[in-house]
Structure formats: structure tokens, C-alpha cells
Amino acid sequence: MCNLYSITKGQQAIRELARAMSDRTGNLPPLPGVFPDYAAPIVRNQPEGRELTMARWGMPSPAFALKGRKSDPGVTNVRNVKSPHWRRWLGVEHRCVVPFTSFSEHEIMPDGTRPPVWFAFDESRPLACFAGIWTRWSSVRKVKEGETTNDLFAFLTTEPNREVGAIHPKAMPVILTTSEEIDIWMSGPTEEALALQRPLPDASLVIVARGERQDGAPAAS
């Protein structure tokens, strides 16, 4: 399960790749380590066009997962898109893309430690996007905060390709690599969009860092 990623490219690069018409992120700094419940940039559909904005990582949890709990930290990765809980957010109005430059999976070591292993397309960490969903939701994310209303997001996962599967055999994020794939995810019929829930081809990712809680990426551009 991917619970740590980085986005170190600038706003202009994100807007160009996702064809965002507006930008509400302000002065977006590089984010070498995005953790669950952190705010991070997404591009979502709005009536006036695609919008680059910030949202909190973690969609509302299913009711069964909240029994006996006083807060809902959210679900970061979505796999079962046939679940009624997730189906309500698969329409165009709730789809988004989540820009990233690298992501990590935890490697289980013989001594029981789980250091992160960072993946990207190459050492320069080119920009790409996860296929995501978002919603505006009122809930108690943290007990000390009380109830708050937030824009929340998560991204889809699928079977891993060879490189990711060697570290994390259960899943990898659903990654969109071209503007055409982004267009299908953002605007296409649900069946066509969900056809993108597939692993990347083998040999398309490389390991760019190990053991760091933040990716030591090149300078933003």
C-alpha cells in the first residue's frame, strides 16, 4: 500500500500535464514527502474547467471500518471499485489526478524493519499522475480537531508490475503517464476510465532511493 510519495515539480509543469485551467494552490513548494492526511495538490473537474487545488489525503472510510472509533483518518488507497462505498465517487465529477514524481513502498527486512523504497520513471523523477477520486466531507479526522469539513482524495491501486512487486507484491498505484490517459480518466465513460486500473508495463520504473522518509529528488523545475 502506497502511503508515501513526493511531488517536486512546479505548478506550471502540473498545469501543463493535466491541462488545468485554474490554480488555487497559491505558492506551491516542493513536497519531497507526502504522508497520509497531509494536504497535497490534485487536479479535479469543475464547471469552469480543470482546477489545480489542495486536498487532504484520505477518503472517508467505509462504515464497518469505523466501528468503535472516534475518528476517521481516511483511506489512502482504493482497490475494490465495485464496492458501493467507492462506486458513488467514480463519476466524472469526483475523479481527479494526483501529480507525483516518485512514490514509495515498504520493503520488509529480515530484522522486521520496513524501510521505504522509492520508485520513479528514471533518476530525473519526471512528472506523472495517479488516478484519483475526491469528495468534500465532514468528519472527525483527529479527535483534537473535532469535526471539520475537508476536500479529501485517494488514488486507485492495482496489481504490481515486476519492479514494484519485488518489494510490495500486493499492489501498486494506478499511474497515468500521458495527457491522453489523463483525459480518459478525467472525462471518459466510467467503463473506459476504469480500464486504466492496470499495472504499468514491466521495466517502466526504477528504484531511485532507499530508506529515506523523503525522496532526495533533483531540484524542482
Side-chain angles (χ1 to χ4, degrees), residues 44-46 88-96 134 186:
R44 63 186 178 186
N45 292 314
Q46 293 290 277
R88 65 180 126 171
W89 293 310
L90 294 177
V92 169
E93 66 276 12
H94 287 287
R95 291 185 212 154
C96 68
W134 78 277
M186 294 292 281

Side-chain angles (χ1 to χ4, degrees), residues 91-136:
V92 169
E93 66 276 12
H94 287 287
R95 291 185 212 154
C96 68
V97 294
V98 182
F100 78 97
T101 48
S102 63
F103 69 93
S104 76
E105 300 288 0
H106 288 285
E107 183 176 20
I108 301 176
M109 305 300 287
D111 63 0
T113 58
R114 296 168 59 88
V117 176
W118 289 89
F119 296 91
F121 284 98
D122 60 46
E123 291 289 344
S124 71
R125 281 83 160 171
L127 183 65
C129 292
F130 302 128
I133 55 176
W134 78 277
T135 192
R136 185 161 294 156

Side-chain angles (χ1 to χ4, degrees), residues 206-218:
V206 298
I207 293 174
V208 293
R210 289 180 178 268
E212 302 294 334
R213 282 174 58 82
Q214 297 191 356
D215 180 26

Side-chain angles (χ1 to χ4, degrees), residues 148-199:
T148 59
T149 300
N150 302 276
D151 288 345
L152 307 176
F153 77 93
F155 47 76
L156 272 57
T157 61
T158 186
E159 297 82 9
N161 70 354
R162 184 177 63 210
E163 293 74 52
V164 177
I167 301 299
H168 184 68
K170 292 184 177 180
M172 70 175 292
V174 173
I175 296 174
L176 311 174
T177 60
T178 65
S179 291
E180 290 73 23
E181 288 181 349
I182 291 171
D183 287 345
I184 292 171
W185 177 251
M186 294 292 281
S187 307
T190 301
E191 183 177 355
E192 187 176 352
L194 290 178
L196 294 168
Q197 190 181 22
R198 78 288 180 259

